[in-house]
C-alpha cells in the first residue's frame, strides 16, 4: 500500500505545482498588461500636453498649468514615463525634478517671489482600482508677504484636515523634500516652501480626502478670486492664450534652464 500512497502523494504534488505555476503565470501576465496600460497612458498624457511644455529633460519636463492656473507662473513638473510619486521615483527622475525646482526658485527669487511646491499622491483611482495618475509637482509663485505666511497656514490646514483617528502622525516635517519621510506605498499630500522647509500628511482614507486640498489652501491664503469653486467646474483657458503664456514663460525661464546643458 505504501508505493500506492506514495504515487498518490506525488500526483497531488504535481497538481499543486502546476496550479502554482499557472497562478504565477497569470499574475505575471496581469502585471505586464497593467505596465503596458501605464506606458500607453503616459505617452498619451505627454502628447496631450506637448503644447504646454516649457523645458524637456531626459526623464522629466516642465509645463505650464492649464487647469485654472493660480497666476501666470503656475507650472507643473512631471515625468515623461509613468512614475507613481516623487517618493517612489527612481533617482534620475528625482534628480531632474529637483533641478527644475532649483531653477524655478532662482527665477522667481529674482522677481521678488517665492515658490510653494505641492504634490498629491493617491494610490486608488475613482473606481477603487490602482490609480494611473503619475507624479506631478505643482509650482506656485507667491508674493513675499503670502510666502512668509504659507508655512503656518498650511500647518494649520493639515492639522485640521480629514481623519479624526489615524495610525500615522497627522503631520511630518520634511525639511523641504518628501523623499525619505513618507514610505513608498502610501498615499500622501506634501508641500514644500522654496525647498527650505515643508510638511507631509499620509492620507489614510482617500474617500474622505479633499483632492483639491493643496490648491484650496493656497487660494485661501492669497484670497484668490476663484476660491471655493471646484477645479472641475472652472472653465479652461483658451488655447491661444495658453500658447502665448508658454512662449512668454519659456523666454523668462531660459536663463535659468538647466536642460540647456543637455544640448
Amino acid at each position: 500500500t505504501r508505493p500506492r500512497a506514495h504515487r498518490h502523494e506525488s500526483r497531488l504534488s504535481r497538481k499543486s505545482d502546476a496550479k502554482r505555476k499557472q497562478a504565477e503565470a497569470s499574475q505575471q501576465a496581469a502585471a505586464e498588461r497593467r505596465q503596458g496600460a501605464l506606458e500607453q497612458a503616459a505617452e498619451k498624457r505627454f502628447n496631450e500636453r506637448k503644447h504646454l511644455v516649457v523645458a524637456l529633460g531626459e526623464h522629466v519636463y516642465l509645463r505650464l498649468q492649464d487647469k485654472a492656473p493660480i497666476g501666470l507662473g503656475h507650472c507643473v513638473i512631471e515625468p515623461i514615463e509613468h512614475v507613481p510619486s516623487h517618493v517612489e521615483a527612481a533617482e534620475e527622475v528625482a534628480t531632474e525634478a529637483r533641478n527644475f525646482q532649483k531653477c524655478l526658485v532662482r527665477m522667481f527669487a529674482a522677481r521678488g517671489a517665492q515658490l510653494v511646491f505641492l504634490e498629491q499622491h493617491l494610490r486608488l483611482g475613482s473606481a477603487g482600482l490602482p490609480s494611473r495618475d503619475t507624479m506631478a509637482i505643482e509650482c506656485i509663485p507667491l508674493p513675499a508677504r503670502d510666502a512668509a505666511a504659507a508655512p503656518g497656514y498650511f500647518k494649520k490646514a493639515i492639522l485640521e484636515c480629514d481623519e479624526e483617528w489615524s495610525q500615522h502622525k497627522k503631520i511630518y516635517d520634511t525639511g523641504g523634500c518628501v523623499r525619505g519621510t513618507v514610505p513608498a506605498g502610501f498615499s500622501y499630500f506634501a508641500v514644500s516652501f522654496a525647498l527650505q522647509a515643508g510638511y507631509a500628511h499620509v492620507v489614510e482614507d482617500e474617500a474622505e480626502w479633499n483632492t483639491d486640498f493643496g490648491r484650496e489652501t493656497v487660494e485661501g491664503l492669497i484670497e484668490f478670486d476663484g476660491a471655493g469653486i471646484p477645479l472641475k467646474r472652472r472653465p479652461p483657458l483658451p488655447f491661444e492664450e495658453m500658447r502665448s503664456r508658454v512662449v512668454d514663460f519659456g523666454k523668462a525661464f531660459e536663463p535659468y534652464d538647466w536642460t540647456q546643458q543637455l544640448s
Side-chain angles (χ1 to χ4, degrees), residues 18-240:
K19 284 185 178 180
R20 178 177 55 79
K21 290 179 179 178
Q22 185 177 13
E24 289 175 353
S26 178
Q27 289 175 355
Q28 177 68 23
E32 289 175 357
R33 285 196 299 271
R34 171 165 167 72
Q35 184 59 35
L38 291 174
E39 290 172 1
Q40 287 181 351
E43 184 177 0
K44 179 182 178 184
R45 181 166 45 242
F46 180 73
N47 287 334
E48 288 175 347
R49 295 171 180 175
K50 271 183 178 178
H51 66 290
L52 302 170
V53 172
V54 174
L56 181 65
E58 293 181 343
H59 306 282
V60 177
Y61 60 90
L62 175 69
R63 69 171 178 88
L64 283 195
Q65 174 61 275
D66 59 328
K67 294 182 179 177
I70 304 173
L72 293 174
H74 187 171
C75 50
V76 187
I77 298 168
E78 289 177 333
I80 297 171
E81 298 182 351
H82 178 79
V83 176
S85 69
H86 195 192
V87 165
E88 298 177 49
E91 199 59 43
E92 59 268 21
V93 173
T95 297
E96 288 198 2
R98 186 91 173 171
N99 287 345
F100 276 122
Q101 288 176 300
K102 289 177 180 177
C103 293
L104 288 167
V105 166
R106 289 198 297 270
M107 170 182 163
F108 283 104
R111 289 162 171 73
Q114 295 182 32
L115 277 170
V116 169
F117 297 105
L118 310 176
E119 188 200 4
Q120 176 175 267
H121 168 57
L122 301 179
R123 294 177 58 246
L124 300 179
S126 57
L129 299 172
S131 174
R132 291 187 181 182
D133 289 346
T134 196
M135 175 187 110
I137 301 173
E138 303 247 1
C139 318
I140 305 172
L142 299 178
R145 185 190 66 177
D146 292 331
Y153 198 85
F154 263 96
K155 184 174 184 178
K156 183 175 184 293
I158 291 172
L159 290 172
E160 293 175 352
C161 74
D162 77 342
E163 304 101 336
E164 183 175 352
W165 305 103
S166 60
Q167 296 179 345
H168 297 269
K169 287 170 59 177
K170 196 79 169 179
I171 191 169
Y172 292 87
D173 190 331
T174 66
C177 182
V178 70
R179 288 169 66 83
T181 302
V182 175
F186 287 94
S187 299
Y188 65 85
F189 168 80
V191 56
S192 169
F193 312 103
L195 299 178
Q196 300 301 312
Y199 301 119
H201 170 73
V202 174
V203 178
E204 296 192 26
D205 187 349
E206 293 189 18
E208 294 297 320
W209 176 252
N210 174 13
T211 55
D212 291 338
F213 173 80
R215 299 216 8 175
E216 287 183 2
T217 304
V218 171
E219 290 175 357
L221 169 66
I222 66 175
E223 299 180 349
F224 187 65
D225 288 342
I229 302 173
L231 191 59
K232 292 179 180 178
R233 287 174 46 194
R234 301 185 194 184
L237 290 175
F239 180 85
E240 288 300 323

